[in-house]
Amino acid sequence: MSRVLITGGASGIGLAMAQAFDKAEFQVWVTDVDAKTLAACPEHWQRSQVDVSDEPQMATLFQEITHEWQGLDVVCANAGIAGPTAKVEDVGLSDWNTCLAITLGGAFLTAKYASPVMKQAGRGVIILTSSTAGQYGYPNRAPYAAAKWGVIGLMKTLAMELGPHGIRTNAICPGAVEGPRMEGVLNREARAKGMTRDEVYEGYASGTSLGAFVSADDIANMAVFLASDGAKMVSGQVIAVDGHTVNPDPKV
């Protein structure tokens, strides 16, 4: 049975990924910083309360994984935070550093400790969660966009570095995803732009060819495909699951 680790796997996109991999008969290991959401996950999943920006915690996590599973087939470096919604001159340095440490630093640490495990096996799949913000940038979201842009650069480097060891690396770029996290973004952006929540929602939706938000399941299904033999020659790719973004900053 194949083995998958999903960081930030107890809620949102990460939880949908975990459920999809479970359905595909993978052994599932999820991490999250929130003990309450972890406790709500199925008991047959391995669960670890981990801050992905804390290197000693990440080192310990991978020691536990190699001890319990003796290897790892797929890693979804999904953990991240939205960061502040504010004009760049109003973003505090501590907020900037926190967003990059978790969203980009967490992906780096996940890859750092997964790589030796996969190299030993001579195969593996690493899937990084970026964002359409990492392709286009978004106004009033400087820390998040910078972090997600960095995730794509990290992925490209990993694909070149790890490919000779049989390890494939790709990045998924979700667009606007329905759910509680996006609701927070919509409300903060509405305040920052002097708009209503519904106006911001319609703006995001109208900026795509399909005119709609995506679901967490849409992202999860792509992750399972990228981990499958059907994608055995897919590596180093930035794959948007966003309804086709045509205008990342529509004015409505």
Side-chain angles (χ1 to χ4, degrees):
M1 183 179 288
S2 296
R3 303 150 295 186
V4 61
L5 168 69
I6 302 159
T7 67
S11 64
I13 291 172
L15 178 59
M17 286 179 174
Q19 291 168 336
F21 277 105
D22 189 10
K23 186 176 180 180
E25 299 186 339
F26 278 67
Q27 288 181 276
V28 174
W29 196 312
V30 296
T31 77
D32 207 281
V33 292
D34 189 328
K36 185 176 180 180
T37 55
L38 276 172
C41 290
E43 291 186 2
H44 67 280
W45 295 358
Q46 296 276 15
R47 295 166 287 178
S48 296
Q49 186 176 5
V50 174
D51 176 352
V52 294
S53 67
D54 185 304
E55 185 163 13
Q57 290 187 34
M58 291 296 282
T60 299
L61 169 67
F62 278 88
Q63 289 171 357
E64 293 172 351
I65 289 170
T66 54
H67 175 72
E68 292 291 329
W69 280 357
Q70 291 77 53
L72 189 59
D73 302 293
V74 180
V75 169
C76 296
N78 171 73
I81 60 172
T85 301
K87 295 177 181 178
V88 67
E89 63 265 31
D90 296 326
V91 174
L93 182 59
S94 62
D95 289 337
W96 168 274
N97 288 340
T98 298
C99 186
L100 265 70
I102 295 171
T103 305
L104 179 55
F108 159 69
L109 288 174
T110 303
K112 175 178 178 176
Y113 286 98
S115 296
V117 179
M118 291 182 171
K119 281 182 179 180
Q120 188 172 9
R123 60 183 173 81
V125 176
I126 299 174
I127 300 168
L128 308 181
T129 302
S130 180
S131 167
T132 50
Q135 296 178 290
Y136 305 104
Y138 283 143
N140 303 307
R141 301 291 303 282
Y144 181 76
K148 291 300 191 180
W149 202 287
V151 166
I152 291 176
L154 173 64
M155 178 278 294
K156 291 286 189 180
T157 300
L158 292 172
M160 290 185 282
E161 186 175 322
L162 301 179
H165 300 277
I167 302 167
R168 298 189 292 109
T169 310
N170 293 287
I172 300 175
C173 291
V177 180
E178 295 278 9
R181 178 171 167 176
M182 191 63 198
E183 284 300 315
V185 171
L186 292 172
N187 288 313
R188 290 192 297 273
E189 190 161 328
R191 291 192 295 270
K193 291 183 173 180
M195 299 165 63
T196 68
R197 175 265 181 208
D198 289 347
E199 286 173 336
V200 177
Y201 181 98
E202 290 302 320
Y204 273 100
S206 68
T208 69
S209 291
L210 296 183
F213 278 34
V214 299
S215 72
D217 288 339
D218 295 324
I219 313 304
N221 291 337
M222 179 58 71
V224 172
F225 168 71
L226 289 173
S228 73
D229 288 342
K232 65 185 176 64
M233 293 305 293
V234 180
S235 191
Q237 301 305 304
V238 178
I239 301 170
V241 182
D242 64 344
H244 182 217
T245 298
V246 291
N247 183 355
D249 184 34
K251 303 296 192 295
V252 295

